[in-house]
Amino acid sequence: MREYIRRTARRLIGTSQATIDTIEPGSIMVAPRRPIDRFDVGAITEVLDLATKIGAVLLDSGTGAIDTGSQIQFVANIYGIEDVDVDVTYNTIVVSARRGATLPPITTMETVHYRSLDFTRLAQVDKLIRRIRDSAITPATAHRMVDAIIAAPHPYPYKVATLAWGLMAAGISVLLGGGPLIALLAFVTTGVTVTINRLLNRIGTPIFFQQVTGGFIAVVPAALVFEGGEKLGFEIMPSQVIAAGIVVLLSGLSLVGSVQDAITGAPITGVARFFELLLMTGGIIAGVGMALRMLSAVGIYLPAITTTTEFAAVDLPARVAAGAFAAFAFALACYAERRALPVAFISGVIGVGVAAGASFIPVGDVIGSGLAAVCIGMLGGLLARRALTPPLVVAVAGITPLLPGLAVYRGLYGLLNDQTLDGLTWAGSALGVGCALAAGVTLGEFIARTLRRPRIVRPEWAHRRRLRRRRRIEW
């Protein structure tokens, strides 16, 4: 058993590197193919167009601007174009190849018009970059491969994704302390929300109004069931259903990418992404607020919020399992590869487990969430060395159960019920937890990239005992 654990740990933190590890500044150890003639405009344009297409898929999937730029430059370098300038902003990629002082540079540009949650597409592009690095495929072949990746349909039907979103909401509601009825209500409410928002997206409705609609739907069914339950003799806590719906709506936003950009040296892109995040969160708040006002106008008043996300020791296994199940369901809803689903489950176990353990220590939600995110980021970086899945998939799935949906709702509830101080406190707590999650993931990935196989220093007594055992075997 000890040998099996040792072998598993060795494979996990082995010397194999993830794609992004091999293209960190100062670590590019590739011999580029024969340099392209600077007068060959067609060949240079073909390579730059390939690099920008790959970068567009990465940026579309939520990859940070710095990592996206590094991978674009890597693709250009591997094909023999060395003097390349890459500029990645919020939704635009510009790549320019210099050809000396006497020739004008060649520039290509790609615009990302939308954001998608298709982790299979991200993983396929990661494999393509690794294949470009390791195999002598031509730019034309790589072009056909990236076009096929972009044009490929989702690996799972919409029904499976909708079911997964509902299961994720059910897991989040159990994580917040809900029972079977709460989980069922969260499942149904989220299924309706996803279906309606998908229809709105097909007719071109701006994402802000989709978030408003989602926030509105998250409240109304919970309030109606709560009102009917009082008359029928059973009681539910509607805040758990509403918070689960808010987490589902928040999970699709680029929280990790926005903070990662701001930390790693792309502040303009980080600010743009963070403003989009705040705007979309504002849409959720607007929808929830409209629903609360409408319900109070017809005489339905939701109870004061008394539930917290603190973990009781007896409930710890069930809540950790619920959080892991929510991370698994989120990865499935985002069309992750099948081999990435167990990894997402493990990241959920680690994230919720660390956050639960931190709740028994008086460190606060912000620090506890940050510690959990650091562990998730390290897990993603280490598993990516074995080419299991891109680190972003593990990171986003792992922190999703920890998103501050309940804090957002409590803040809004306080502001709408003349509890301004409490409302602002909870709103600030939600913002702090969100930033801690994103920053923790960034730090964890950085540690994983710099971590090499550690050399275990044995104590002197263990060394002597090992020598005696060897001598005994030899005799």
Side-chain angles (χ1 to χ4, degrees):
M1 185 64 183
R2 289 171 55 187
E3 180 61 27
Y4 175 77
I5 296 174
R6 188 183 299 112
R7 187 165 57 248
T8 302
R10 190 183 302 118
R11 294 189 61 185
L12 182 63
I13 61 175
T15 56
S16 300
Q17 291 179 305
T19 304
I20 187 61
D21 289 343
T22 64
I23 58 181
E24 282 293 289
S27 64
I28 298 179
M29 300 296 293
V30 296
R33 294 165 175 81
R34 185 178 60 186
I36 299 176
D37 186 356
R38 60 181 181 147
F39 294 100
D40 193 345
V41 177
I44 295 176
T45 304
E46 183 182 34
V47 172
L48 295 186
D49 186 60
L50 171 65
T52 53
K53 279 186 179 179
I54 290 175
V57 176
L58 295 172
L59 192 65
D60 164 67
S61 302
T63 305
I66 300 299
D67 286 349
T68 300
S70 299
Q71 300 200 50
I72 292 172
Q73 189 169 18
F74 176 78
V75 172
N77 291 160
I78 199 87
Y79 281 115
I81 304 177
E82 297 181 356
D83 196 359
V84 179
D85 292 329
V86 181
D87 183 23
V88 179
T89 58
Y90 168 68
N91 62 348
T92 305
I93 299 172
V94 179
V95 184
S96 181
R98 298 178 181 273
R99 298 191 294 161
T102 59
L103 294 174
I106 297 176
T107 302
T108 60
M109 186 182 75
E110 190 85 15
T111 301
V112 179
H113 296 285
Y114 60 93
R115 296 282 187 265
S116 67
L117 289 174
D118 190 334
F119 287 153
T120 293
R121 183 178 299 146
L122 177 64
Q124 292 297 327
V125 168
D126 187 78
K127 292 177 184 177
L128 174 59
I129 297 174
R130 198 176 303 120
R131 188 171 178 183
I132 291 173
R133 179 192 65 193
D134 298 334
S135 306
I137 62 174
T138 64
T141 302
H143 261 289
R144 289 193 296 271
M145 294 176 67
V146 74
D147 289 338
I149 291 172
I150 295 173
H154 294 308
Y156 313 123
Y158 284 131
K159 293 181 181 179
V160 175
T162 302
L163 177 65
W165 285 118
L167 293 175
M168 172 188 162
I172 295 295
S173 65
V174 175
L175 175 64
L176 297 175
L181 180 59
I182 295 290
L184 178 62
L185 184 57
F187 174 84
V188 174
T189 302
T190 300
V192 173
T193 300
V194 171
T195 302
I196 292 178
N197 278 352
R198 186 174 289 130
L199 294 175
L200 293 176
N201 187 62
R202 287 178 181 174
I203 63 177
T205 306
I207 183 65
F208 175 81
F209 297 107
Q210 295 180 37
Q211 295 291 92
V212 173
T213 304
F216 185 87
I217 297 175
V219 175
V220 175
L224 295 178
V225 173
F226 170 74
E227 184 71 12
E230 287 189 330
K231 298 177 181 179
L232 297 177
F234 66 90
E235 184 178 353
I236 69 166
M237 189 61 65
S239 60
Q240 295 167 342
V241 179
I242 298 170
I246 291 175
V247 169
V248 171
L249 294 171
L250 287 174
S251 63
L253 304 182
S254 55
L255 173 65
V256 175
S258 62
V259 176
Q260 187 179 38
D261 286 340
I263 291 175
T264 57
I268 296 177
T269 305
V271 169
R273 282 188 171 185
F274 196 72
F275 180 77
E276 180 191 47
L277 175 67
L278 291 179
L279 185 64
M280 297 304 101
T281 306
I284 300 173
I285 293 174
V288 173
M290 290 169 56
L292 292 176
R293 289 301 186 191
M294 185 196 74
L295 291 169
S296 62
V298 297
I300 299 178
Y301 298 93
L302 296 182
I305 303 172
T306 58
T307 58
T308 66
T309 54
E310 294 179 357
F311 293 85
V314 67
D315 298 331
L316 189 59
R319 293 195 177 187
V320 171
F325 185 76
F328 173 91
F330 173 76
L332 180 62
C334 294
Y335 305 103
E337 292 181 310
R338 281 179 291 182
R339 65 178 180 180
L341 299 178
V343 182
F345 184 87
I346 294 173
S347 68
V349 170
I350 293 176
V352 178
V354 173
S359 67
F360 294 102
I361 307 172
V363 295
D365 292 339
V366 175
I367 297 178
S369 299
L371 292 174
V374 170
C375 296
I376 293 170
M378 287 183 60
L379 173 70
L382 294 174
L383 290 178
R385 291 183 177 183
R386 308 308 304 179
L388 292 177
T389 186
L392 182 65
V393 179
V394 182
V396 177
I399 68 171
T400 293
L402 304 177
L403 290 174
L406 188 59
V408 171
Y409 176 58
R410 295 184 74 166
L412 179 61
Y413 184 91
L415 292 174
L416 293 178
N417 289 275
D418 298 325
Q419 301 172 10
T420 306
L421 183 59
D422 289 341
L424 291 176
T425 300
W426 282 108
S429 175
L431 180 62
V433 169
C435 292
L437 289 173
V441 165
T442 303
L443 178 59
E445 290 182 357
F446 173 77
I447 294 173
R449 290 177 186 177
T450 57
L451 182 66
R452 294 296 177 258
R453 181 179 296 176
R455 181 181 178 185
I456 301 176
V457 180
R458 297 177 180 272
E460 186 64 27
W461 61 267
H463 183 65
R464 288 196 300 267
R465 186 175 67 178
R466 189 177 182 185
L467 288 177
R468 286 197 299 268
R469 186 179 302 169
R470 264 189 197 170
R471 291 170 183 164
R472 215 178 288 123
I473 294 173
E474 290 174 357
W475 283 103

